[in-house]
Amino acid sequence: MEPHEEKPIIYTMENKPIVTCAGDQNLFTALYGSLTQQLPREPMEWRRSYGRAPKMIYLEANFVQFKEELLPKEGNKALLTFPFLHIYWTDCCDTEVYKASVKEDMQRWQAVLRLHGSVDWLIVVVESDNKKKNKTNILPRTSIVDKIRNDFCNKQSDRCVALSDPLKESSRSQESWSSFLTKLRTLLLMSFTRNLGRFEDDMRTLREKRTEPGWSFCDYFMVQEELAFVFEMLQQFEDALVQYDELDALFTQYVLNFGAGDGANWLGSFCQPVRSWNGLLLRRPIDMEKRDLIQKGEASLLDLRSYLFSRQCTLLIFLQRPWEVTTRALELLHNCVQELRLLEVSVVSGALDCWVFLSCLEVLHRIEGCCDRTQLEANSSHTVGLWTYATEKLKCLGDLCGLVSENGPNSEDLNKTVDLLAGLGAERPETVNSPQSPYKKLKEALSSVEAFEKHYLELSHAAMEMYQAIGRLRSARLVGKSLAEFHMRKGDPQSAENFLLDSLKSYVSESWSLPLTHTRKQIAECQKQLQKMDEYLQTSALLASDSNLSDEERKHFCQEILTFASQTPEGKGQQKDGRVALSMSSFTQLQELRFRPASALVHVGAVLQLELRVCSLMLVPVRVEQLAAAVHFAQEQPGSTAHRRAAQNPDGTVTFPAASPASASPALELCEIQEHSPSDNALNSAGVACKNVHLLMRRHDSATSLDTPNAAPNALNVEDGAHLLKATDVTLEPGDNSIVFTAPSQKPGVYTLRQLCATVGRVQLVLPHLYPVVQYEVYSQEPQLSIQPLTENLLAGLPQQVKFTILTGHYAVKKGDALQLSNTDSMPVLHSNTCSARILSSSAELLGESALSIQSSEKVTSISLPVTPPYHTLEFLLEVLCHIPSSPARMESERLTNGQISHRARSRTRFNSGMAVIDHKVSVDCPWSIYSTLVSLTFHVPFKVKHSLLSAGRRKFIQVCLQNVSDTNFRLTNQTLTENQHTPSLELLSLNTKTHSVFSHQCVFSVWELRWSGVPPVSLHCEFSAAFAPADAPDAALKPYRYDFTLESVSTLYSVSAEIRPPAGEQHCRTGALCRLEVSLTRLTEPSDTERSDEEFSDTDGLRTTRLMYEVIDNNSNWAVCGKSSGVVSMPVAAMATHKVHMEIMPLFAGHLPFPNIRVFKYLPHHASPVIQPDTDSCLENDSLSLLDKTLEDQGDTASLRSRGSVQSLGSGESAQPRGPMPKRQAFGPGQVFNGTQGRQVLVLPAADHHVMEVNVT
């Protein structure tokens, strides 16, 4: 570069900040190369105002010779021509020379700078060692520098820099050079900051005046673009892009406001008609032609947008963001079309299409120029939009110019083509040598039909491949649909059909209703031209039921189907028999199916009707020759699904989901699954299962679907079906229809409806799957016999009615068939001549009654049955009587009323809820089986009886307690008690009334006095008998009741009496005072032979005695026994032998106190072996035994005190060693001991006569 030459300013990326150089030009020329190379090597931090983030920039400069013309004039805001720094170069070392010429030259230089207000300057003094050697009388360098600073830099000493011998490589020179470069960068940066800040303020002020009249967007555009140029010059491309984006947003807002009615005056220049549509130009850094038009205010909207986008594109590419260019380009092209409409700009028809097409290809070529093929393929998602848009615009141009029609363009179309090509102008120089330039492609495409088809197909296939590569199948199929329309207009329906079918898949799977309808219409047209009648009819069926079409169109397609159905088969295009199968879902919509009966469970041969309700989607009546339903038969166990179906559809109605023919996948149906432990039935796991997974998981793209016209179902041969539901000559009216079928029920099993087929001439309407599942069941039942009581409990002893129920099942009861019942003595069958049987149908409807013939023999009762058809019910009633056993069993360890234990007898009876239960097995021989049927009947004994033996001295009484344990009230009469052995010396005297009413859960007591003469009986075998009947029954209904029992040890052996005497000197007993208790034990009779074997006797001095044990206790805590409370006495074995025992007792309470309880037992020594097992409380402790073996006189020190019902064992208090087997005590029988103290009382007075009464007065 030569600094003295003036070069023109070119607005390109090569612009650099201008720095003027004054002074010694030769000196500067020598340093120019090193200066331009080393200045941008190191970055500088640029801190800007308004809080903007600092940036590191590399500074470059364009050094030019100083001229006054370069200084900005007043009002000139151009930054690219603005000199940011002025440098004065000198190597003067002589003071005289400085004073003579250099100083004066510097003064002139400074004066010019001050005149133009420039404050950014620098004086550089270059020192050379060679000059120092030649001139020995010169002053040191510092003297010249100091003088210059004093003359010109009084307040800015840093504006003068000394550069020491810069051309040498010494360390001093390098240090001086580095310091100079740093100073130069700093001053340049300071100048940038100050001048750019001033420029931005002026620009901001200008922008704020945009609402004033006369404000021009083009002028403001040039100002802000100047700022963008400066940022670009400083390689701050992001900041430069921001300036263009702001201009873009400002202009867009004004256009939108214009469309809303708020227009600016300056927008009028952009509303001029479009005369050129040569597209974007992105191959130049700056399109100077369009910039000049903008600067002059003559640019059109397309010119402004083209220039603005070209600048944005250039900066984005420098920022290595080429894919953002494609995105912005697509937005620009769409926005420009809308802006032209908002501004109401006049545009030649097709001009915008040309401009968009050329712009798309220009952007794509620009991106291809800065990216390799691998990057383009990886980022095809960013460019595919431009390819698609270009394809659409090319198609629009083909339609406009007549290049798509079969006949080609006419003269009018050719004129339009010429006009469009004229608006393109001449090809730009940048693309003249490019064979694939957008200009050449468009011109060639519009030149002929063949060329247009070639370019259009190339662009379309390229766009489709890109969409498929990036997975955007919807967009690819949309392009394919556009291709299909192109092929249809070209007369190639075969190629068009393939693209349309691909598009149809997307619309069906995603339920796009309107596009689906439109595409089907196009497919139908293709198929009709290709003579694909099967597919055409299937598509016509779908269109005939499509609500998006008008009624006329729907009727047209429906008539197409009916016309074909009425024709005679011709050719080989259809099935073998000439029939065509179509989807029934296109014609009708299933609503519900109702079973009659609702249970959908019938026996073999029964009538089951199915009412199918359908909604015809056709707008005209359709006559169906035959409507058949294919039924799948499975020999499963009937009833396996009946309960589940009854729970889901209690009214027997199966409702089909409301879905359109173009519906998507069926709805998800879930059911709960639980797994329980087999041991304790605890829940182990729970889950959810899908019941229709086979429908949800199938592949929709490859599976046969009736929603697509290329997949038709196969025709059904309804004559070959083994199980069919048929309805003939049915007319389906538009809307709701009802069709009734009669279901086959010849074999038992589960019948499932699989398919529906309606025959309309040559057309079959097929529904291959029914959902939800429709099933009914046919069962074959074995004959069954059941015998049930009419009441809750059968009562023994009374006639009871039982109900015989015969379910005939598949067996037909014939004349002469009879039931053979085995007779038992304990339960006879009562029958009468008026017994009749009722015959009921399977639906429990009474069909009739017939008299029964019952014949009985010794072992068998024969019941003749009336004639009954299969699967009917036969019912009749019989009376049976269960005899009550005379000795009913009692519960184990059950005690009688007098305390005697009654042992269980062996019987088949059992107890249930307090009543004895008798089970009877009845053997029945049925005519339909060779085996006997055992039927169990359970009878309940209504009574519970107990007996007891009562004593009053020597007198004996027998008491029988009868308790009614049932819920029925009875009348009891004729109670008698007899002795089975008929002993003449015995007499039973009744003390009872004749009749009693026994209510539910009440007792009746009957008493007889036992009298005898002579020797008393040892045991009695008695029988209690009575007659009973329900309380409201007549006397003829009375039934006998017997109860047998045995009494042992009837006579009284011992009598016990006692007296309580007060202390000496007292008339009555008093509390706390010891009283004397005298107990008398009297032997009443001589022992009999049986008693001798039961008792243990001993001889002492010729006197026979037996040992008795007595015990005095008070369970009511009224008395305290002082001294010994029990003991063993030796009782003489003689009539009226008496033994008395004395002891002291103390009353604890005042009043009439009952006597203490005195108990007497048989005492059996340890060597005795009693016949009867003693009670559990009959064992005595060893210490007591040792004491009881002593005489009574030796027991005085071993007494214990029994207080308040507590009993202490007799003993010495010392532990004794075991002495072999323990002695036993045995209770007497209930009538062997008469205790005269029971019921006696004694008066006990308080201990003192005075009483204290506490009165509380409130």
Side-chain angles (χ1 to χ4, degrees):
M1 171 184 177
E2 296 182 1
H4 59 277
E5 294 181 359
E6 181 179 353
K7 293 187 176 181
I9 301 300
I10 301 176
Y11 296 97
T12 63
M13 290 294 301
E14 286 74 20
N15 286 349
K16 299 175 183 177
I18 297 176
V19 177
T20 64
C21 299
D24 192 349
Q25 294 298 319
N26 294 327
L27 175 62
F28 169 70
T29 302
L31 299 175
Y32 174 77
S34 301
L35 188 60
T36 55
Q37 292 179 3
Q38 297 185 24
L39 180 62
R41 286 186 178 179
E42 295 182 8
M44 290 292 291
E45 185 181 23
W46 186 18
R47 295 183 177 273
R48 303 177 62 191
S49 58
Y50 299 105
R52 286 173 282 194
K55 296 183 178 180
M56 303 299 293
I57 64 173
Y58 292 87
L59 292 175
E60 294 184 273
N62 182 18
F63 296 95
V64 299
Q65 184 178 356
F66 176 78
K67 293 181 180 180
E68 188 175 356
E69 292 80 4
L70 294 177
L71 298 178
K73 306 297 188 293
E74 185 177 357
N76 185 8
K77 295 181 173 55
L79 287 177
L80 291 180
T81 59
F82 181 82
F84 289 92
L85 185 62
H86 306 276
I87 304 177
Y88 189 91
W89 298 86
T90 182
D91 59 352
C92 178
C93 298
D94 188 351
T95 305
E96 297 299 332
V97 176
Y98 169 73
K99 292 180 179 180
S101 60
V102 175
K103 181 178 179 180
E104 183 179 355
D105 189 46
M106 285 185 179
Q107 289 175 346
R108 289 194 302 268
W109 177 66
Q110 286 279 354
V112 174
L113 294 180
R114 284 194 298 269
L115 181 62
H116 292 82
S118 179
V119 296
D120 299 308
W121 51 269
L122 178 65
I123 299 175
V124 181
V125 181
V126 180
E127 183 188 42
S128 175
D129 292 340
N130 295 331
K131 291 187 177 182
K132 288 183 179 180
K133 294 177 181 179
N134 297 332
K135 297 180 182 282
T136 57
N137 57 345
I138 63 174
L139 294 175
R141 175 186 57 81
T142 53
S143 299
I144 296 296
V145 173
D146 292 340
K147 198 167 187 63
I148 292 175
R149 285 175 179 173
N150 291 332
D151 293 340
F152 300 100
C153 309
N154 293 329
K155 297 180 181 180
Q156 296 175 320
S157 59
D158 58 338
R159 294 295 178 134
C160 183
V161 178
L163 186 58
S164 178
D165 210 356
L167 299 179
K168 290 188 176 181
E169 296 182 358
S170 62
S171 59
R172 182 166 173 261
S173 299
Q174 294 297 328
E175 182 180 355
S176 176
W177 183 255
S178 178
S179 177
F180 167 70
L181 290 177
T182 302
K183 174 62 69 174
L184 182 58
R185 295 190 189 104
T186 303
L187 292 176
L188 269 176
L189 207 55
M190 290 172 59
S191 179
F192 288 154
T193 304
R194 180 169 52 254
N195 289 286
L196 285 180
R198 187 186 306 117
F199 186 86
E200 287 179 337
D201 292 340
D202 296 341
M203 184 186 71
R204 197 173 297 109
T205 302
L206 180 60
R207 184 171 58 198
E208 292 173 354
K209 295 180 180 180
R210 62 185 180 275
T211 57
E212 297 179 1
W215 188 85
S216 173
F217 176 79
C218 294
D219 295 341
Y220 176 76
F221 181 92
M222 304 307 295
V223 172
Q224 189 161 0
E225 189 187 29
E226 192 78 19
L227 181 61
F229 283 154
V230 173
F231 284 127
E232 186 178 1
M233 180 177 63
L234 297 177
Q235 297 185 358
Q236 300 302 307
F237 305 117
E238 188 70 44
D239 291 331
L241 182 62
V242 169
Q243 309 308 314
Y244 287 110
D245 290 344
E246 290 180 356
L247 289 170
D248 189 352
L250 181 62
F251 185 78
T252 301
Q253 188 61 48
Y254 270 105
V255 174
L256 294 176
N257 293 342
F258 183 87
D262 184 14
N265 295 329
W266 54 266
L267 274 174
S269 62
F270 295 99
C271 296
Q272 57 183 322
V274 177
R275 295 182 175 85
S276 174
W277 41 87
N278 53 1
L280 298 175
L281 178 60
L282 305 180
R283 302 171 193 260
R284 300 176 186 172
I286 301 177
D287 189 350
M288 295 303 298
E289 297 178 2
K290 288 185 174 56
R291 189 176 188 276
D292 292 340
L293 293 175
I294 296 172
Q295 190 173 11
K296 296 176 182 178
E298 299 175 357
S300 64
L301 178 66
L302 294 183
D303 293 336
L304 175 65
R305 284 300 188 184
S306 299
Y307 176 77
L308 190 57
F309 181 78
S310 66
R311 295 297 301 136
Q312 291 171 325
C313 174
T314 301
L315 295 173
L316 287 171
I317 290 177
F318 275 110
L319 288 170
Q320 297 182 355
R321 288 150 57 182
W323 311 118
E324 188 175 342
V325 174
T326 60
T327 304
R328 288 182 176 228
L330 202 55
E331 295 177 0
L332 168 73
L333 299 177
H334 286 287
N335 291 338
C336 282
V337 175
Q338 300 300 324
E339 289 175 353
L340 288 171
R341 293 175 181 173
L342 289 176
L343 296 179
E344 299 177 357
V345 177
S346 175
V347 184
V348 176
S349 177
L352 274 182
D353 298 330
C354 292
W355 183 80
V356 171
F357 177 81
L358 293 173
S359 299
C360 289
L361 296 187
E362 178 69 14
V363 174
L364 292 172
H365 288 180
R366 185 70 180 92
I367 297 301
E368 291 175 358
C370 61
C371 300
D372 56 22
R373 186 174 184 82
T374 305
Q375 291 177 322
L376 290 173
E377 292 177 355
N379 294 275
S380 57
S381 59
H382 297 91
T383 59
V384 66
L386 292 174
W387 285 103
T388 306
Y389 203 17
T391 305
E392 294 176 1
K393 293 306 175 182
L394 185 59
K395 181 182 178 182
C396 293
L397 290 172
D399 294 338
L400 181 65
C401 299
L403 299 174
V404 182
S405 62
E406 297 182 10
N407 301 325
N410 53 27
S411 59
E412 184 180 354
D413 297 332
L414 294 177
N415 292 332
K416 292 180 181 178
T417 304
V418 172
D419 294 340
L420 291 177
L421 293 178
L424 300 179
E427 188 174 4
R428 294 172 178 137
E430 291 83 1
T431 61
V432 170
N433 298 325
S434 175
Q436 295 295 326
S437 66
Y439 181 88
K440 291 186 176 66
K441 282 189 176 182
L442 180 58
K443 196 170 182 179
E444 182 181 356
L446 298 180
S447 62
S448 64
V449 175
E450 293 77 11
F452 175 82
E453 183 176 355
K454 170 190 171 185
H455 287 284
Y456 177 72
L457 293 179
E458 286 180 357
L459 290 176
S460 298
H461 287 293
M464 288 182 62
E465 291 174 359
M466 291 182 187
Y467 277 130
Q468 293 172 355
I470 61 177
R472 292 177 56 180
L473 297 181
R474 297 187 191 92
S475 300
R477 289 169 176 173
L478 189 61
V479 176
K481 187 179 179 184
S482 180
L483 269 175
E485 295 175 357
F486 172 78
H487 286 297
M488 283 294 294
R489 297 184 64 178
K490 298 293 291 183
D492 186 9
Q494 181 64 52
S495 301
E497 184 186 19
N498 297 329
F499 291 112
L500 291 174
L501 291 177
D502 288 339
S503 300
L504 188 67
K505 291 180 181 179
S506 298
Y507 300 146
V508 169
S509 62
E510 299 172 13
S511 301
W512 293 98
S513 177
L514 291 176
L516 180 64
T517 303
H518 182 260
T519 305
R520 278 189 177 144
K521 287 180 62 179
Q522 294 176 316
I523 292 175
E525 184 64 26
C526 292
Q527 293 167 345
K528 188 174 183 179
Q529 293 183 16
L530 293 173
Q531 295 297 315
K532 294 182 177 181
M533 294 310 299
D534 292 3
E535 292 83 354
Y536 174 67
L537 293 176
Q538 181 69 29
T539 307
S540 299
L542 295 172
L543 291 172
S545 60
D546 198 331
S547 59
N548 293 320
L549 294 178
S550 62
D551 292 348
E552 290 74 13
E553 290 177 307
R554 293 177 61 184
K555 290 180 180 179
H556 166 71
F557 287 109
C558 181
Q559 196 61 42
E560 288 281 300
I561 300 173
L562 297 179
T563 302
F564 174 83
S566 61
Q567 292 176 355
T568 304
E570 294 180 2
K572 301 180 180 181
Q574 292 79 31
Q575 306 287 343
K576 293 180 180 179
D577 55 356
R579 291 182 295 178
V580 175
L582 303 180
S583 171
M584 184 180 290
S585 59
S586 305
F587 281 81
T588 60
Q589 173 62 49
L590 301 186
Q591 293 178 333
E592 65 178 22
L593 187 142
R594 180 169 297 177
F595 288 99
R596 302 175 186 170
S599 62
L601 179 66
V602 296
H603 58 77
V604 174
V607 176
L608 175 65
Q609 288 186 337
L610 289 79
E611 181 183 0
L612 179 63
R613 295 184 179 180
V614 298
C615 177
S616 177
L617 303 178
M618 300 294 105
L619 297 181
V620 296
V622 179
R623 181 180 175 276
V624 178
E625 299 172 3
Q626 176 179 269
L627 180 61
V631 180
H632 176 264
F633 172 72
Q635 290 184 344
E636 300 179 5
Q637 183 64 29
S640 58
T641 61
H643 297 291
R644 176 168 52 85
R645 185 173 58 251
Q648 294 176 353
N649 306 307
D651 58 346
T653 301
V654 178
T655 303
F656 297 97
S660 62
S663 62
S665 300
L668 188 68
E669 291 195 5
L670 301 178
C671 63
E672 182 182 3
I673 295 179
Q674 292 184 353
E675 181 181 355
H676 295 269
S677 173
S679 59
D680 55 356
N681 202 31
L683 182 63
N684 287 344
S685 63
V688 176
C690 179
K691 297 192 295 184
N692 57 341
V693 65
H694 62 289
L695 298 177
L696 294 170
M697 299 301 292
R698 64 183 181 183
R699 294 181 58 190
H700 294 283
D701 285 342
S702 59
T704 300
S705 173
L706 294 181
D707 290 334
T708 56
N710 62 325
N714 295 326
L716 296 181
N717 191 353
V718 295
E719 302 299 333
D720 298 338
H723 302 281
L724 288 175
L725 304 181
K726 293 183 181 180
T728 58
D729 198 10
V730 177
T731 300
L732 297 179
E733 299 290 340
D736 295 339
N737 296 268
S738 178
I739 305 167
V740 178
F741 298 94
T742 299
S745 58
Q746 291 79 14
K747 295 182 180 180
V750 179
Y751 293 79
T752 304
L753 272 67
R754 291 292 179 85
Q755 291 180 332
L756 281 178
C757 178
T759 303
V760 183
R762 297 171 56 193
V763 175
Q764 278 192 340
L765 309 179
V766 179
L767 185 64
H769 302 286
L770 285 180
Y771 188 82
V773 178
V774 179
Q775 289 181 334
Y776 68 91
E777 298 183 16
V778 178
Y779 63 90
S780 175
Q781 186 180 13
E782 294 293 328
Q784 295 180 2
L785 169 67
S786 64
I787 303 177
Q788 297 177 342
L790 293 183
T791 58
E792 183 179 359
N793 293 324
L794 292 175
L795 296 180
L798 295 175
Q800 300 288 297
Q801 282 191 335
V802 293
K803 181 180 180 181
F804 282 70
T805 303
I806 300 175
L807 302 178
T808 59
H810 62 78
Y811 181 78
V813 180
K814 302 178 294 294
K815 185 177 181 181
D817 288 345
L819 295 181
Q820 306 291 333
L821 277 69
S822 60
N823 293 338
T824 58
D825 296 336
S826 59
M827 193 194 72
V829 177
L830 307 178
H831 57 87
S832 63
N833 296 329
T834 60
C835 184
S836 62
R838 303 169 67 239
I839 302 175
L840 292 87
S841 65
S842 58
S843 59
E845 181 182 357
L846 180 62
L847 300 181
E849 295 189 8
S850 177
L852 288 180
S853 174
I854 303 177
Q855 298 178 357
S856 297
S857 62
E858 181 179 357
K859 295 183 179 181
V860 176
T861 297
S862 177
I863 304 173
S864 298
L865 300 177
V867 176
T868 307
Y871 296 102
H872 282 62
T873 302
L874 186 64
E875 295 179 352
F876 57 89
L877 301 179
L878 286 184
E879 283 192 345
V880 294
L881 176 64
C882 175
H883 295 296
I884 302 176
S886 60
S887 299
R890 301 181 181 90
M891 295 184 179
E892 294 184 3
S893 302
E894 179 184 357
R895 292 182 179 270
L896 302 179
T897 56
N898 58 357
Q900 183 178 356
I901 298 176
S902 175
H903 300 284
R904 176 187 285 267
R906 294 181 179 269
S907 175
R908 291 190 302 168
T909 61
R910 53 190 174 89
F911 286 90
N912 184 14
S913 302
M915 287 193 291
V917 176
I918 303 174
D919 290 334
H920 278 286
K921 301 290 185 180
V922 180
S923 176
V924 183
D925 292 335
C926 303
W928 54 80
S929 175
I930 61 174
Y931 302 102
S932 298
T933 302
L934 285 180
V935 180
S936 177
L937 291 177
T938 302
F939 293 86
H940 299 263
V941 180
F943 302 121
K944 185 177 181 181
V945 183
K946 297 180 181 180
H947 69 276
S948 60
L949 180 65
L950 306 179
S951 301
R954 293 178 179 271
R955 299 177 65 183
K956 296 293 181 179
F957 299 90
I958 299 176
Q959 176 182 277
V960 176
C961 174
L962 185 143
Q963 181 183 3
N964 181 6
V965 293
S966 69
D967 296 330
T968 306
N969 298 330
F970 290 101
R971 178 162 52 91
L972 191 67
T973 184
N974 298 332
Q975 303 100 311
T976 60
L977 182 66
T978 58
E979 195 267 327
N980 294 337
Q981 297 177 348
H982 304 287
T983 306
S985 60
L986 289 178
E987 181 184 1
L988 293 172
L989 181 60
S990 175
L991 305 177
N992 310 305
T993 60
K994 186 176 181 181
T995 304
H996 294 279
S997 294
V998 187
F999 295 99
S1000 175
H1001 302 290
Q1002 288 188 351
C1003 299
V1004 170
F1005 292 89
S1006 303
V1007 180
W1008 287 264
E1009 183 178 358
L1010 177 63
R1011 296 180 181 180
W1012 66 87
S1013 60
V1015 180
V1018 177
S1019 64
L1020 291 176
H1021 299 282
C1022 302
E1023 179 185 273
F1024 170 76
S1025 62
F1028 72 98
D1032 55 352
D1035 294 340
L1038 290 172
K1039 297 297 179 183
Y1041 178 78
R1042 292 190 309 143
Y1043 173 70
D1044 296 339
F1045 60 90
T1046 302
L1047 296 175
E1048 303 288 345
S1049 303
V1050 176
S1051 62
T1052 305
L1053 298 180
Y1054 295 95
S1055 174
V1056 179
S1057 62
E1059 293 291 337
I1060 299 178
R1061 304 184 186 279
E1066 295 289 340
Q1067 187 178 1
H1068 297 284
C1069 297
R1070 293 185 179 273
T1071 58
L1074 292 176
C1075 301
R1076 185 176 180 82
L1077 174 65
E1078 180 180 320
V1079 180
S1080 298
L1081 302 176
T1082 303
R1083 177 85 183 198
L1084 298 180
T1085 60
E1086 293 286 344
S1088 62
D1089 296 339
T1090 305
E1091 293 172 349
R1092 289 191 182 97
S1093 62
D1094 293 343
E1095 297 187 48
E1096 186 71 21
F1097 300 103
S1098 61
D1099 293 331
T1100 305
D1101 297 333
L1103 180 65
R1104 296 183 64 195
T1105 61
T1106 182
R1107 307 183 78 177
L1108 301 178
M1109 179 181 175
Y1110 67 90
E1111 184 179 30
V1112 180
I1113 59 174
D1114 184 18
N1115 294 329
N1116 296 324
S1117 301
N1118 294 323
W1119 303 89
V1121 182
C1122 303
K1124 61 181 181 179
S1125 61
S1126 62
V1128 178
V1129 298
S1130 295
M1131 191 71 183
V1133 184
M1136 302 308 294
T1138 303
H1139 188 93
K1140 294 185 178 182
V1141 179
H1142 300 276
M1143 60 185 66
E1144 292 182 340
I1145 61 176
M1146 179 187 296
L1148 302 178
F1149 302 98
H1152 291 276
L1153 301 182
F1155 274 50
N1157 189 15
I1158 302 172
R1159 300 169 60 187
V1160 179
F1161 302 94
K1162 296 178 184 179
Y1163 180 76
L1164 304 177
H1166 58 79
H1167 55 77
S1169 300
V1171 178
I1172 302 176
Q1173 190 70 19
D1175 292 340
T1176 57
D1177 59 348
S1178 64
C1179 297
L1180 301 176
E1181 298 180 3
N1182 290 335
D1183 293 341
S1184 300
L1185 293 175
S1186 64
L1187 292 174
L1188 293 175
D1189 287 339
K1190 298 179 182 180
T1191 60
L1192 296 176
E1193 290 78 13
D1194 297 335
Q1195 298 174 3
D1197 298 335
T1198 62
S1200 63
L1201 180 65
R1202 298 174 182 261
S1203 175
R1204 299 185 67 82
S1206 62
V1207 180
Q1208 294 184 359
S1209 301
L1210 297 174
S1212 62
E1214 300 177 358
S1215 61
Q1217 298 295 329
R1219 299 181 182 179
M1222 295 185 297
K1224 307 291 182 180
R1225 71 177 185 181
Q1226 180 180 351
F1228 285 97
Q1232 290 182 312
V1233 178
F1234 174 71
N1235 194 341
T1237 63
Q1238 292 184 356
R1240 290 189 61 186
Q1241 293 179 338
V1242 62
L1243 177 63
V1244 178
L1245 301 179
D1249 292 338
H1250 61 277
H1251 300 282
V1252 178
M1253 179 179 295
E1254 295 183 2
V1255 180
N1256 188 8
V1257 180
T1258 58

